[in-house]
Structures are given as C-alpha cells and as structure tokens.
Amino acid sequence: MKLKWVAAAAMAVIGNSAYADSSVTLYGVLDSGLLYQSTSAAVVSANPSTLTGLPPGTRLPPAAAASVANALRNLGAVYRFKDGGIYSSVWGMKGTEDLGGGYAANFRLQGTFDTGTGKTGQSDTAGVPGFFNQIATAGVSGPFGSINAGRQIAPMIYAMGETDARHAQYFGSILGAWIGLNSAAGWPGTSTNGPIGALYDSNAIVYRSPNFYGISADLEYAPGGVAGHFQGGTRESAVLKYSGYGLRLAALYYSGHDTNPFTTVSSTAATAVPATGLNNNRYWYVGALYTIKDFSVSASYSNGANPAPRSALNPNGGTSLDLYSVGLGYRFTPAFNVSSGLYYIKDRNDSKNTSLEVAAGADYSLSKSTVAYAQVGWVNNHGVMTQGITYGALVAPGMGTAAVNIGLRHNF
C-alpha cells in the first residue's frame, strides 16, 4: 500500500514537471526617422588624454596634436537617417516556466541593432559589437520578488526613466543628460563601459523586491572575476522607489571599480589598464514625478564622480559633476502626448564647464503597435562640455546646437 502511494506521488511530480505551463515569446521594435542637427563632431569625449591614452598634460607631437584638434572641432550641420529617436531598435526573446506555488523560472535575450545599416549594438569591449548587448539573463521569481543573473539594463536607468517627464528617451531627456556627464568625465564612447553609473552591466545579479504599499527596492552586484583583486571590475548599486497617489519617487546609489573602460585607446594602439579595484565610478540620484489628471511634472538632482586620485592610469580622477532636471508633460488624449524637459550640468571643479539643454516632443499612437513622433531640442555647451541632444549624434566641445527629429516606432 505504501509503495502504491509513493509511486503515485512520484508520477504526480513527474507529471507536474513535464506539463508545467511555459511560454516563449519573440518580440522586437523598429524605431526609424530623420534627424537634422546644426553642429556635429567626430568623437564623444572632449578630453585629449582619453583620445590618446596619455596622462593629462602630455605634450603631443604636432601631427598628433593636429589630429586630436581636428577630432574635437565642429564639423558643421548634419542631416541624416536616425535609428532610435525614442528608444533603440531591438530584437529579443523571453520565456517563462511556471514552477508552481507562485514561483517561475525565466530567461530573456535582447539586443539592439541599427535599422539604417543592420549593424548590432556595441558591447563592453571597445569596437566589438554584441548580439545580445542589452539583456542576456536567466532568473527566478516568486513571492520573495525576483532574481536575474547575466548582462542586463542597470536598475538605475529604470529609476531615472520613471521620474523623468521625458521618460529617459534617446532624444532630450535625463538619459541624454546623464550621457553628457559621462562624456564630460572622459567616456570615449567606444563601448558601454562608462565612468559614471551604467546603462548596462555585465555579469550582474539583480534582486528586485515585492511591492510593499508602493515601496520597492532593487539591489545589484556584479563580480569582476579579476584574479588577485576581489574588487577588480566589480559593480554595486541600490535603488529605492515609491509609487502611489500619482507620485513616483526614486533614490539610487551606484559604485563601480575599474571603469571607463579597461583600456585606453589612441589612434594607433590600445593600451591595457590593469583591473586592480580602483574606485573610479560613483553616481547618486534623487528624482520625483507627479501626475495629476493629464499633467505630469518632474524634477531631479544627481552627482557623478570619479573619487579616485588622478594618475596616469586614471586621468579623470577627481571629476565631480552635478546634474539638475525639471520636466513637464500633458496628455491631450489617450493617443496624443507632449512632454518637455530642461537639463543643466555643471562641473564642481571648473565653473567654466556648464551645459544647458532644453527639449520637447510629441508622440501620437497610430495603433496599439505604432507611434509617430516629432521632437526638437537645443543645447548650449560651455568649456569642454559635449552634452548632445540625441544619443549617437555628437557635439563638439563648448558648441551649442539645435536638432529636429521625426520618426516612426513600431512594436511587434
């Protein structure tokens, strides 16, 4: 009799395993448009030491100095096809398996590509594209929340987007202003490994808590895997959020070691920088978005810094940059929305380095899957600031620029 019950229980377990509910979804987004920008540049960073891989103050040979100066100059107006006016074009797949008792296993793979050329997006390694350069995770979820492991969009980006009237879009938003912090801090723009915060983190483990009366938290840790240096290449972050009664609040702290990036790049060679656990990436942010009826208003303050001392291997040490933002939006109908934002960056170490950006946009849902949009922006850079209006359209140091972008975004 006991044997019969054991056999029945075993068959029940096997049956539940074999017939557990599961699903796999293929999805994607195409976002294409046209962009006009009144000025342009060849590189992201205005820091010659970043471009050459040499310590600050190094005197370059005349030919090399001329090459750097040419890279930093204004190349003139540009009219071009532009992928990713709202967000990047992506293709991906995701799957979930019901484990019973409120628990589930999941995976997700997602990568960016350029609709104009078909090229895949960049990775953590300079000049090397990544097929699933945004997300490549496996995880579990349940009453405890969720845990996902692998390359993923950093939790800080979601927190910033949820407290920005422009929703951290690629054109004129808190995302573009944060990228302006990175370029001012010496980011060469050749990889996703930047000096302030992170858009993506590789080898990351992210825990997301359940929602308790509108309060939730995200915790992230990414081991570096560097032999002999426990903190070599590590990333850590914490995000606390609140949502309720039309109000969204977010506070975050991000810390990284050996960032921006593991190599310095010159026109002729790439020099490896040892990953020893240098604490050279710190970012914190507080922001709020309040929606009443059809109006939305947002505000934020953040600081990005390279806390480690300046040295030949850390030419941007001591960098400290403040970012302020305000935004306003109005939804005329469920299908038609307008939003605007103002983003101001200042260098705590040099008052000459400031940047002011103003942007506005309108989007109209033609269907559940298709959105048409138009956007306009203006930025005024001073000193060595290179804040741009839209991701991927570069601006020369200290140059102002205006931009107009129209496009279509389709989900499938």
Side-chain angles (χ1 to χ4, degrees), residues 278-349:
L278 183 70
N279 181 19
N280 61 352
N281 184 340
R282 187 196 68 204
Y283 182 65
W284 62 270
Y285 168 97
V286 290
L289 172 71
Y290 182 63
T291 301
I292 179 170
K293 294 185 177 180
D294 296 314
F295 281 97
S296 295
V297 58
S298 66
S300 74
Y301 168 70
S302 58
N303 174 263
N306 181 335
R310 178 173 291 192
S311 67
L313 296 180
N314 187 37
N316 301 296
T319 296
S320 184
L321 301 154
D322 290 329
L323 167 59
Y324 303 84
S325 81
V326 293
L328 182 66
Y330 184 73
R331 184 168 292 280
F332 289 90
T333 71
F336 180 53
N337 178 68
V338 297
S339 61
S340 61
L342 182 150
Y343 307 92
Y344 177 72
I345 302 173
K346 72 171 185 177
D347 186 339
R348 285 189 176 185
N349 298 323

Side-chain angles (χ1 to χ4, degrees), residues 92-348:
M93 64 181 75
K94 58 184 178 181
T96 300
E97 181 182 16
D98 185 358
L99 301 177
Y103 294 87
N106 65 80
F107 79 91
R108 187 168 182 178
L109 301 170
Q110 180 176 304
T112 65
F113 64 94
D114 190 312
T115 55
T117 63
K119 293 180 179 179
T120 54
Q122 62 184 14
S123 67
D124 280 351
T125 304
V128 178
F131 193 74
F132 294 118
N133 67 316
Q134 284 190 327
I135 303 173
T137 62
V140 293
S141 62
F144 66 92
S146 66
I147 298 177
N148 289 292
R151 181 170 173 84
Q152 49 198 302
I153 298 172
M156 59 168 273
I157 298 300
Y158 293 110
M160 293 166 64
E162 291 166 4
T163 50
D164 175 36
R166 293 280 295 155
H167 306 296
Q169 296 182 4
Y170 273 24
F171 187 105
S173 75
I174 191 67
L175 176 66
W178 166 74
I179 291 173
L181 289 186
N182 275 273
S183 62
W187 180 55
T190 54
S191 80
T192 61
N193 185 8
I196 293 178
L199 181 54
Y200 314 108
D201 272 328
S202 294
N203 311 310
I205 302 168
V206 175
Y207 166 71
R208 178 161 294 166
S209 77
N211 189 307
F212 294 102
Y213 300 99
I215 300 173
S216 63
D218 296 338
L219 300 175
E220 174 194 18
Y221 175 68
V226 179
H229 298 281
F230 185 80
Q231 286 192 309
T234 60
R235 313 284 190 271
E236 307 90 26
S237 71
V239 175
L240 185 64
K241 296 188 289 186
Y242 171 79
S243 179
Y245 304 99
L247 178 65
R248 290 183 178 180
L249 301 172
L252 68 90
Y253 179 81
Y254 184 98
S255 177
H257 298 80
D258 303 301
T259 58
N260 188 34
F262 282 100
T263 58
T264 55
V265 181
S266 71
S267 59
T268 58
T271 305
V273 176
T276 59
L278 183 70
N279 181 19
N280 61 352
N281 184 340
R282 187 196 68 204
Y283 182 65
W284 62 270
Y285 168 97
V286 290
L289 172 71
Y290 182 63
T291 301
I292 179 170
K293 294 185 177 180
D294 296 314
F295 281 97
S296 295
V297 58
S298 66
S300 74
Y301 168 70
S302 58
N303 174 263
N306 181 335
R310 178 173 291 192
S311 67
L313 296 180
N314 187 37
N316 301 296
T319 296
S320 184
L321 301 154
D322 290 329
L323 167 59
Y324 303 84
S325 81
V326 293
L328 182 66
Y330 184 73
R331 184 168 292 280
F332 289 90
T333 71
F336 180 53
N337 178 68
V338 297
S339 61
S340 61
L342 182 150
Y343 307 92
Y344 177 72
I345 302 173
K346 72 171 185 177
D347 186 339
R348 285 189 176 185

